[in-house]
Amino acid sequence: MEVKNLIRATVVLFLSDCTVRAAIPSFNDFDRAREEIMKRPEIVYDSTFCSEIASGEDKVACRLKDIPSIGFLVCKKAKYDETPCKDIIETELANFLKLRSENINVVTVDKKPVENIRCGATTDQMCSGFLEAWIDQTYGEFGHVRDHIAEGTVGQLVEKIIKFTRKDELQTTTSDLRKIVEYMQPSSKEHNYKQICDLQGFFLIDGGFLINDTPEINENIATKGVCWDGEPTTEQVLSGLKNMIDALNHAMH
C-alpha cells in the first residue's frame, strides 16, 4: 500500500452527552492541555486521561478528561513505511493553516505540534500529535462528506444537516461549502483543480461547516483525478458539493 494511503487520516471524533458547547477553546485551554500532556510523556490513552477515545486509520483522538474543550490527536505509531509520524503531523497542521489562509473554515488547532510523546497504539515514545478543538455533539454534527459523495448518499447527509441546523442559519453552511467549491477551481494561471482529500468535518447547529481533517491537499489535479485509489474524482466532489448547496438553499425557502 502506498504511503499516501497509509497516512490518510480517517479520525472520526465520537462525541459525548457532555453539554460543553464551546467551539473555540481559549488559548489558555490549549496551554493547559499541552502542559498536562507534557507532564506525562508515557501517557496511557485510557479513561484515566481521556473522557472519550476514537481510533482512526493512523491516529488516536483523545478528549482530555480535565479539559473537555480540547482533543489530542496522536499517531498510532512512530513511522508509516518510511514516513515519520512527525512529518504526518506537521503536514496536517500546515494544511489547516493553508486552508484558513484561503478563508476556508476549519476547526481551531494549536499550530505547534506536541512531540516526543507516547504513541497511540505502541509504547514507542517518538510520536507527535496536535491539539484541536473538540466539537461537542450539542454544537456540531460530524459529516464524512467524502464518503457520502463516493457512495452516492449526499441526500442522506443533507437531510441530517437540515434536521440538525437551525433553518435560519443554513445560509452560513452553504456559504462555507461554496468557499470550498471556489477554492477547488483553477485560477486564471492554472489548468488544474485543487482537492481537499478525505473531506470531512462538522456541520454546526448555528450554521457553518468546519473541516476537521486535512491529511493532504492536492493542488494540481484534473477533473477526472483522484487523491488516492478508490476516492471520488474532483468532478464528483464538485458535483456533490454543488448538489448539497442547491438542496440546502431549497430547504431555506
Side-chain angles (χ1 to χ4, degrees), residues 83-97:
T83 304
C85 160
K86 181 180 178 181
D87 291 356
I88 294 170
I89 296 300
E90 288 179 349
T91 296
E92 184 148 7
L93 285 174
N95 287 339
F96 272 120
L97 297 177

Side-chain angles (χ1 to χ4, degrees), residues 45 58-60 72-80 84-90 93 113-120 124-131:
Y45 304 99
D58 61 286
K59 295 194 295 294
V60 168
F72 179 49
L73 280 71
V74 61
C75 292
K76 287 185 171 181
K77 56 185 182 179
K79 274 191 176 183
Y80 291 83
C85 160
K86 181 180 178 181
D87 291 356
I88 294 170
I89 296 300
E90 288 179 349
L93 285 174
V114 179
E115 299 178 343
N116 299 320
I117 204 77
R118 183 171 181 164
C119 301
D124 198 318
Q125 297 291 123
M126 294 301 293
C127 271
S128 296
F130 63 90
L131 300 169

